[in-house]
Amino acid sequence: MHAAHILVVEDDRSIGAALCNALQREGYAAELACTRQQASAAADRARFDLVVLDIGLPDGSGLDLLRRWRSGDRATPVVAVTARGGIEDRIKGLDAGADDYIAKPFEIRELMARVRAVLRRPGGALGELLALGNVELDTVRRRLRIGGHLENAPRREVAILETLMRQANIVVNRDTVMRAAYAADEHATQNALEANISRLRQRLMQGGAEVEIHTIRGVGYLLRESP
C-alpha cells in the first residue's frame, strides 16, 4: 500500500515545514503550499489523499478554495485549520465541505490523530453526520439522536460529544476537550468540564446509548462503543 500523499496548506513556512516533517515521521508523503495559488496549482498537478488546509491565507480564504474544489466534484478529504474555533466558524468550515476541523493552537499529536481518523473512513470522507453505535450527531445543525430519538442537548455537551466522536476509540487529551467546550475568553475550570462530562454521560445512559465515555486519569477521555 502506498504512503498517503498529504498536502499541507499553511502560510507560515516554518509551521508548515514542521507539520510536513511530523507527517513524514508518521510515514506519510507530505508537500507544502504557502498560498491559495500554490495550493490550487498543487491540487491540479497531483492527486492527494488528504489536505490539511489553513483557512487564513495571504491571497484569499482557504474556505473559498475549498468551496471551489467541492463545486468541481473534487472529493479529497480536507482537515480545515483555523485560528478561530467557535461554533459558527466550525459550521462555516463544514458547510464549505471540510471533513474535519481543528483550531489553533493544537498539539501535533491531535492533528496526527485526526489525519489517521479521516484516512480510515470509507472513501476518506466524513460529511456532516457522525455516527457511533446508535448515536448520531449532525455537526452542522447540532442535533443529537440516540436510537433515533432527538435529544435536547446543551451546546457544550454537543461540542464535547462531537470532539470525542471525531476521535472515537482514541484518547482525547483534556485540553482539547476543554477548547471544544469553552471559548478562549471563558475562564473554565477542570471541575466545570467534569460536570459537563458527567451530565453528558447521564444523558447517553438515560437515552440507551450504545457508547460510553471513559475518563483516562491524568490524560483525557475516550469514547467507544459499549461492550
Side-chain angles (χ1 to χ4, degrees):
M1 182 179 295
H2 77 286
H5 193 194
I6 298 176
L7 176 64
V8 175
V9 185
E10 166 60 58
D11 66 322
D12 186 312
R13 186 171 293 276
S14 62
I15 293 175
L19 293 178
C20 285
N21 288 337
L23 288 163
Q24 288 164 357
R25 287 195 298 271
E26 291 287 320
Y28 302 115
E31 181 175 332
L32 175 63
C34 295
T35 66
R36 175 178 162 175
Q37 183 177 5
Q38 290 176 3
S40 181
D44 289 342
R45 169 179 46 80
R47 179 192 176 279
F48 292 93
D49 297 292
L50 183 140
V51 179
V52 177
L53 177 64
D54 192 358
I55 297 306
L57 298 173
D59 57 344
S61 169
L63 286 184
D64 289 340
L65 177 60
L66 177 55
R67 291 187 187 100
R68 184 168 69 80
W69 283 345
R70 294 303 188 235
S71 66
D73 293 328
R74 179 167 286 157
T76 305
V78 171
V79 177
V81 179
T82 181
R84 296 172 297 180
I87 288 176
E88 289 303 318
D89 296 301
R90 278 185 280 173
I91 289 174
K92 288 179 183 177
L94 292 166
D95 275 345
D99 297 282
D100 203 348
Y101 195 101
I102 188 169
K104 294 179 179 178
F106 56 82
E107 291 188 14
I108 292 292
R109 290 184 306 162
E110 180 185 358
L111 177 62
M112 294 301 113
R114 289 176 182 271
V115 166
R116 289 192 298 269
V118 171
L119 289 173
R120 280 199 305 268
R121 292 173 188 135
L126 170 66
E128 299 177 358
L129 187 66
L130 299 176
L132 185 67
N134 64 345
V135 176
E136 294 184 349
L137 180 62
D138 185 324
T139 62
V140 173
R141 297 168 184 83
R142 319 306 291 169
R143 291 175 182 166
L144 168 63
R145 293 182 184 274
I146 302 175
H149 299 287
L150 186 64
E151 297 283 330
N152 186 25
R155 67 175 181 85
R156 284 201 177 101
E157 290 183 28
V158 170
I160 291 168
L161 184 60
E162 177 185 351
T163 300
L164 296 178
M165 289 185 75
R166 286 191 182 280
Q167 300 183 71
N169 302 308
I170 297 172
V171 177
V172 184
N173 70 63
R174 186 184 298 111
D175 289 343
T176 298
V177 180
M178 185 79 80
R179 287 199 302 269
Y182 299 94
D185 58 353
E186 290 183 290
H187 300 290
T189 64
Q190 178 61 34
N191 287 339
L193 178 61
E194 286 290 349
N196 278 288
I197 292 283
S198 178
R199 286 192 288 270
L200 177 56
R201 278 198 184 105
Q202 188 72 11
R203 185 179 307 281
L204 293 171
M205 184 178 68
Q206 290 178 347
E210 297 170 350
V211 302
E212 297 175 348
I213 300 174
H214 297 266
T215 298
I216 309 302
R217 196 169 300 279
V219 181
Y221 305 94
L222 170 68
L223 179 73
R224 65 186 179 195
E225 290 191 63
S226 307

